Amino acid sequence: MNSFDFKKIIPHVIAYLAFVLVSFLLFSPMVFNGKVLSQGDVIRARGMAKEIKEIRESTGEAPLWTNAQFAGMPSYQIHQTIDGNYLKPINKVLLWGQGIIASEFVVILAMFCCYLLLLVMKVDWKLAAFGSIFYGISSYHIDLIEAGHATKMMTFALLPALYLGPVLAFRGKYLLGGGIFALFTGLHIYANHIQITYYAFIMLAVLGIIELVRHARKGNLGDFGKAAGILVVAAILGVAANTSKLWPTYEYAEVSQRGKSELTSEKGSDGLTKEYIWEWSYGIAETMTLIVPQFMGGGRFQNHEKTETYEIFYRNFLQQGYPKEAAKSAANAQTGGVLYHGDQIFVGMGIYFGAVICFLFVLGAVLVKSNLKLWLLISALLSISFAWGGHFFLNDILVDYFPLFNKFRAVSMALGLAQLSFVLLGILGLQHIMSKDIATEAKQKALYIAAGVTGGLCVLALILSGGMDLTGLNDGSVQQIISQVKADRVSLIRQDAIRSLILILISAGVVWAYLKGSLKGLFMVVIVGLLMVGDMFQFDKRYLYSEKFEEPREATADTNPRPVDEQIKADTDPHYRVLDLTRGNPFANVLTSYHHKSIGGYHSAKLKIFQEFIENYPLSQENMDLFGMLNAKYIIQGNGAEATASRNPQALGNAWFVPNFQIVDNADQELAALATINPGTQAVVQKKYGAPLEGQKFAIDSSAYIRLTNYHPDRMSYEYSASSPQLALFSEIYYPEGLGWKLILDGAEEIPIMKANYVLRSAVLPAGKHTLEMRFEPRSFLLGENISRVASILGLLMFFGGIVLFFRENGLPEVDRIHDSELSMQATKKAKVKATVSKKKGKGKKK
């Protein structure tokens, strides 16, 4: 057993303190002044989860269903309390006890995870610290943070640690690698952005193939088998620790927009349409923003105050009576919208990987010879090709034939994986510049190629700026100032191309000076590291400028209840829905859900039947009876403070009896029949759901009634009375049989729930006076929690076992790997010899 040298911890403490310092400086208005970023998706997420959190606070248990949006949906992808996954405490520790919307702590975590991976890749700790700081504050992360994509940001923060286990396992650290992989697979999935985890596992599969070939060539497939075997076990434990999240989500995905449709007009389509998937495809030419960030005009969330276009908009808003600060904000947003001239609808920012890191990436691609180089290079190129989406033919093939690829949209997020690959290979490249095992001539050749390629791209951008097509999708709205807009686009390209070229030339010059012996290795690392981090820090401030940070009350002003909301909430009815027509498209706005159970909402994976319902029966006076069967009791109309609420006379309540029903053959006929039926007296049911209706005839019973007596999203109680059997319709969204909803008569007998009127639940109820309880008890979650408990305990045992065993056998590894160049070492040696000779001569003279 090796003794543990605590002095070796000091470099890591220094590195971590540097991470904290840089993150706190970047988000200083939040850390030191209590301000917040007005993050759109965070505001939307809170609205989606409002009902769930209120019930959790009052009962201690979060419901698995919510009626706060789209007339009802599972809460699996909104807000879910998981008690069975015992990895949660580690997640809390890594974030200092904060949640994932605490951006400064998530950025620190990203830096820490990247630092661990770079150390395992045998990078000097100081260089690893610079590279990790750069990764933490990288532009794509800032783009996610500014928009409020908290789950995406958390998964990218954990991404380097997800790679860490396989890298260790394939180096023979089997238990340690497996334990780390089990832990971070579990945490990565728990962060709840499966698309990024899916892409990451594709990249790990690439690593596995490369390692298989390497081991086969060396004739040690046994070692590969051990590593692969323990990684598979670890992955299973990490996935299984999230069973209560993944299993319900899988069930839901099958009946959401991403699943199959019952409509024959959809031809049994499975997954999203290509048009929807490719909606956020990064343009191939747009990839130039990775080195020249404003090559396509920048983004909507950027500070454009130095452009003439901004000045025009700013003056216009002032003339319209806007307050100064509001005019600035509006002018910036409008300027960003029109200056962008890429292929996407809009972008928050032009994703910038950093001029220095691009230079180092090419340096690493030429100089590094390990399998890690091949893996990182392939991962970077593959991720970028994914981000191209519909612009690249391979992606069409993947959508058609590759498992699950058609379940995800916004493919441009794959750039986040490429960003990490650029950082890792770039830092490895600089580490290899200091390697004693590589000839100086090879290093110089790699330096010239890297400077030539990246500098050449900047020069190309300068050349193209004078002749490229600068037409944007939004040019039609600014034809009166289009010449100024195009002039600003040219200016932005040239400014950033020159800026990036200068950074590349300085960095290359510093490396060249090191190779010539004029600069010590430590100074080279510090100078290049400061150039790299300073470049990205300054770029980030284009988006995180001081005006972006607001007082909390200002950031949440739109979520405050209006007089009309207070008026509606005075209704003591426990369960009704609201249709809000005052905030644009109600099916793309979640603000109503802050105060009411909404017919509308905001989510990228609505239930398929609800999406098809609103597509075929859009909001109109003619269709209001159909929204009435969803118990849209109030309709809000008007503008701002003048908005008013009116009772919807066609709202049918929580449940009602209908004497008439129609059996149809398929979903197409069921959906079409809604155009002619009266939902208050008629039901239409597909044949495959209609077994309880066989031989039934329902008499009109004027004295019959059914009413809701208690409301909870997961448990709704009713009482009813009828002198003969009745067909009941419930204003609740249908969820397929077997996925959780049960209808219990008098606390004992389960009654089948049918699908009716395309989106509703219905049931045949026996005569008499009875009670009903509608319960949501998904087996996938309840059993999944027990599986999660067992798997997470085993994963933690593997992790801590691997850590203890490693340090007992190895202690803390050395992390100083900076070496001076051959010429520098020769000069130092000559100086020492000269000093020794002089010293001896001096002693001789004294004698």
Side-chain angles (χ1 to χ4, degrees):
M1 177 178 174
N2 292 329
S3 59
F4 192 87
D5 186 355
F6 285 95
K7 290 181 180 179
K8 293 182 179 179
I9 296 179
I10 294 175
H12 308 307
V13 173
I14 294 171
Y16 195 82
L17 291 175
F19 302 159
V20 174
L21 176 63
V22 173
S23 183
F24 280 10
L25 285 174
L26 186 61
F27 297 100
S28 57
M30 295 166 61
V31 177
F32 303 114
N33 301 322
K35 294 189 175 183
V36 297
L37 282 170
S38 181
Q39 299 164 296
D41 267 27
V42 169
I43 291 172
R44 284 186 278 270
R46 286 172 174 162
M48 294 182 224
K50 187 75 183 303
E51 181 188 41
I52 302 167
K53 289 184 176 180
E54 285 177 349
I55 292 175
R56 186 188 67 180
E57 288 169 3
S58 63
T59 67
E61 182 180 349
L64 301 173
W65 188 272
T66 177
N67 287 294
Q69 59 172 10
F70 303 127
M73 63 183 291
S75 63
Y76 306 142
Q77 290 299 301
I78 299 173
H79 179 85
Q80 186 180 9
T81 299
I82 305 292
D83 295 322
N85 188 343
Y86 295 138
L87 304 181
K88 286 169 56 178
I90 293 181
N91 202 63
K92 276 286 187 184
V93 169
L94 291 172
L95 291 176
W96 296 27
Q98 305 296 313
I100 63 173
I101 64 171
S103 304
E104 64 272 36
F105 296 103
V106 179
V107 166
I108 292 169
L109 176 60
M111 295 174 181
F112 175 66
C113 291
C114 189
Y115 181 72
L116 293 178
L117 181 55
L118 284 168
L119 290 182
V120 167
M121 289 180 169
K122 301 189 184 304
V123 171
D124 178 85
W125 74 273
K126 295 174 283 296
L127 182 52
F130 278 115
S132 301
I133 291 171
F134 180 88
Y135 176 69
I137 65 172
S138 293
S139 66
Y140 191 69
H141 294 166
I142 302 307
D143 188 37
L144 296 178
I145 289 168
E146 205 281 340
H149 296 165
T151 57
K152 287 184 190 177
M153 181 58 214
M154 186 64 182
T155 48
F156 279 120
L158 292 166
L159 182 62
L162 184 68
Y163 288 167
L164 181 60
V167 171
L168 282 166
F170 286 124
R171 287 185 176 175
K173 307 297 182 184
Y174 303 123
L175 185 58
L176 178 63
I180 290 174
F181 193 49
L183 173 66
F184 284 102
T185 296
L187 291 177
H188 207 259
I189 295 171
Y190 181 74
N192 202 29
H193 207 288
I194 302 301
Q195 183 171 356
I196 298 167
T197 306
Y198 174 80
Y199 290 154
F201 269 80
I202 291 176
M203 304 312 155
L204 289 175
V206 172
L207 175 62
I209 293 169
I210 292 171
E211 288 293 337
L212 175 61
V213 173
R214 179 173 75 88
H215 283 79
R217 285 177 175 172
K218 291 186 174 182
N220 56 356
L221 285 175
D223 289 345
F224 174 82
K226 291 177 187 176
I230 199 164
L231 289 174
V232 168
V233 171
I236 291 172
L237 291 176
V239 171
N242 288 279
T243 302
S244 55
K245 182 183 289 288
L246 292 175
W247 187 0
T249 298
Y250 172 77
E251 288 182 340
Y252 177 65
E254 292 300 295
V255 294
S256 75
Q257 287 174 268
R258 297 161 194 247
K260 291 182 179 179
S261 173
E262 286 189 299
L263 297 174
T264 56
S265 58
E266 297 290 332
K267 298 179 182 179
S269 61
D270 184 12
L272 302 171
T273 64
K274 286 185 179 178
E275 292 76 12
Y276 192 58
I277 294 170
W278 302 147
E279 193 172 23
W280 299 101
S281 297
Y282 220 69
I284 293 178
E286 198 168 355
T287 314
M288 280 287 286
T289 66
L290 304 185
I291 194 167
V292 180
Q294 295 182 118
F295 188 78
M296 286 295 173
R300 177 177 289 185
F301 304 133
Q302 182 176 336
N303 187 344
H304 288 284
E305 292 184 10
K306 294 183 180 179
T307 65
E308 290 299 321
T309 303
Y310 167 86
E311 288 296 329
I312 293 170
F313 287 139
Y314 177 58
R315 288 194 297 269
N316 286 341
F317 283 120
L318 287 177
Q319 290 169 6
Q320 293 174 38
Y322 278 62
K324 186 175 179 180
E325 291 304 317
K328 283 184 176 182
S329 178
N332 257 321
Q334 191 163 358
T335 305
V338 300
L339 287 183
Y340 173 70
H341 53 102
D343 295 326
Q344 300 175 81
I345 300 170
F346 74 90
V347 295
M349 66 164 61
I351 302 304
Y352 176 52
F353 281 7
V356 179
I357 212 68
C358 287
F359 158 69
L360 294 177
F361 174 78
V362 179
L363 184 73
V366 177
L367 197 59
V368 179
K369 301 302 179 185
S370 70
N371 278 341
L372 285 178
K373 187 274 288 287
L374 183 60
W375 170 52
L376 294 172
L377 193 58
I378 293 174
S379 294
L381 297 177
L382 194 59
S383 300
I384 291 171
S385 74
F386 286 173
W388 286 338
H391 303 302
F392 188 54
F393 75 97
L394 176 63
N395 293 322
D396 274 308
I397 298 171
L398 292 172
V399 166
D400 289 335
Y401 301 108
F402 201 76
L404 301 179
F405 206 88
N406 64 350
K407 301 292 186 181
F408 306 114
R409 66 185 288 264
V411 291
S412 60
M413 75 177 68
L415 287 174
L417 286 88
Q419 177 177 263
L420 176 58
S421 295
F422 266 63
V423 173
L424 296 176
L425 187 51
I427 297 301
L428 280 176
L430 194 55
Q431 181 69 55
H432 277 64
I433 280 287
M434 296 182 288
S435 172
K436 297 177 181 179
D437 301 324
I438 301 175
T440 300
E441 293 76 14
K443 295 175 183 178
Q444 289 175 334
K445 181 180 178 181
L447 171 63
Y448 299 148
I449 292 173
V453 169
T454 53
L457 287 172
C458 296
V459 172
L460 178 63
L462 283 169
I463 295 170
L464 291 175
S465 67
M468 64 187 289
D469 181 14
L470 295 172
T471 303
L473 295 176
N474 298 315
D475 284 0
S477 64
V478 288
Q479 280 302 309
Q480 67 278 16
I481 59 168
I482 193 63
S483 59
Q484 184 57 62
V485 169
K486 290 189 174 183
D488 278 337
R489 288 171 180 166
V490 171
S491 176
L492 292 176
I493 295 172
R494 290 176 178 173
Q495 287 173 20
D496 273 357
I498 292 171
R499 177 179 179 276
S500 292
L501 181 60
I502 291 171
L503 285 167
I504 289 166
L505 292 177
I506 294 174
S507 300
V510 170
V511 176
W512 181 84
Y514 164 79
L515 293 176
K516 290 297 183 181
S518 303
L519 199 64
K520 295 289 187 180
L522 176 60
F523 293 135
M524 179 194 69
V525 167
V526 171
I527 294 171
V528 174
L530 289 174
L531 284 170
M532 180 174 62
V533 170
D535 169 30
M536 191 56 67
F537 195 95
Q538 188 274 335
F539 176 79
D540 291 345
K541 283 299 182 181
R542 295 181 182 180
Y543 295 86
L544 296 179
Y545 51 93
S546 58
E547 289 83 0
K548 276 290 180 71
F549 297 92
E550 303 174 307
E551 296 295 336
R553 64 179 181 276
E554 296 172 349
T556 59
D558 287 343
T559 69
N560 295 330
R562 303 165 294 176
V564 68
D565 297 314
E566 299 289 6
Q567 173 195 339
I568 294 173
K569 287 196 286 186
D571 190 332
T572 57
D573 186 342
H575 182 32
Y576 56 86
R577 297 189 177 92
V578 172
L579 177 58
D580 189 350
L581 304 178
T582 66
R583 304 181 190 269
N585 181 3
F587 303 112
N589 192 298
V590 79
L591 292 178
T592 308
S593 298
Y594 271 91
H595 312 292
H596 313 291
K597 302 176 185 72
S598 177
I599 293 290
Y602 176 87
H603 202 279
S604 60
K606 296 189 282 290
L607 278 165
K608 190 85 167 180
I609 56 171
F610 189 83
Q611 179 66 24
E612 292 168 342
F613 169 73
I614 61 176
E615 285 175 352
N616 284 272
Y617 295 96
L619 281 170
S620 67
Q621 193 58 48
E622 293 77 18
N623 295 331
M624 200 53 64
D625 60 334
L626 299 181
F627 292 96
M629 73 182 185
L630 294 171
N631 199 18
K633 187 176 181 179
Y634 291 97
I635 301 173
I636 304 177
Q637 295 174 301
N639 295 307
E642 304 301 319
T644 59
S646 59
R647 289 283 295 264
N648 178 14
Q650 300 186 71
L652 294 172
N654 304 116
W656 63 99
F657 294 133
V658 295
N660 305 309
F661 65 89
Q662 176 186 354
I663 301 293
V664 295
D665 291 331
N666 54 47
D668 297 76
Q669 294 176 2
E670 182 186 10
L671 188 59
L674 294 183
T676 57
I677 69 167
N678 177 355
T681 60
Q682 297 169 285
V684 56
V685 179
Q686 273 190 70
K687 183 184 294 183
K688 68 178 182 179
Y689 300 109
L693 293 171
E694 289 182 9
Q696 293 279 6
K697 288 187 178 180
F698 302 106
I700 298 176
D701 183 353
S702 59
S703 64
Y705 68 86
I706 180 170
R707 57 175 171 257
L708 182 74
T709 57
N710 187 61
Y711 171 77
H712 181 284
D714 288 352
R715 296 180 301 277
M716 287 172 281
S717 300
Y718 304 82
E719 63 178 22
Y720 79 90
S721 176
S723 58
S724 60
Q726 295 290 320
L727 175 58
L729 293 184
F730 301 88
S731 62
E732 307 303 327
I733 295 294
Y734 177 78
Y735 201 53
E737 185 179 9
L739 298 190
W741 278 111
K742 298 176 182 178
L743 186 62
I744 308 299
L745 181 72
D746 296 330
E749 179 185 354
E750 185 174 348
I751 294 177
I753 298 176
M754 296 182 295
K755 176 174 176 280
N757 293 9
Y758 206 74
V759 292
L760 298 184
R761 302 172 208 164
S762 66
V764 176
L765 302 181
K769 189 171 184 178
H770 301 278
T771 61
L772 293 170
E773 187 174 33
M774 196 174 282
R775 306 174 190 163
F776 189 51
E777 298 174 344
R779 179 172 176 266
S780 56
F781 177 78
L782 300 176
L783 177 58
E785 280 282 77
N786 290 328
I787 296 172
S788 294
R789 288 184 178 94
V790 174
S792 57
I793 290 171
L794 293 175
L796 287 171
L797 288 173
M798 179 185 282
F799 170 72
F800 287 114
I803 293 289
V804 170
L805 181 64
F806 175 80
F807 284 111
R808 285 183 64 182
E809 294 180 349
N810 302 279
L812 202 62
E814 294 289 342
V815 290
D816 285 302
R817 297 187 176 92
I818 289 181
H819 303 290
D820 290 327
S821 67
E822 293 177 18
L823 289 175
S824 178
M825 287 187 288
Q826 289 172 9
T828 302
K829 188 176 180 180
K830 288 178 180 178
K832 287 181 178 179
V833 171
K834 186 176 181 181
T836 302
V837 171
S838 299
K839 191 174 182 181
K840 288 181 178 179
K841 286 182 178 178
K843 287 181 179 180
K845 288 179 180 178
K846 287 179 182 179
K847 287 180 181 179

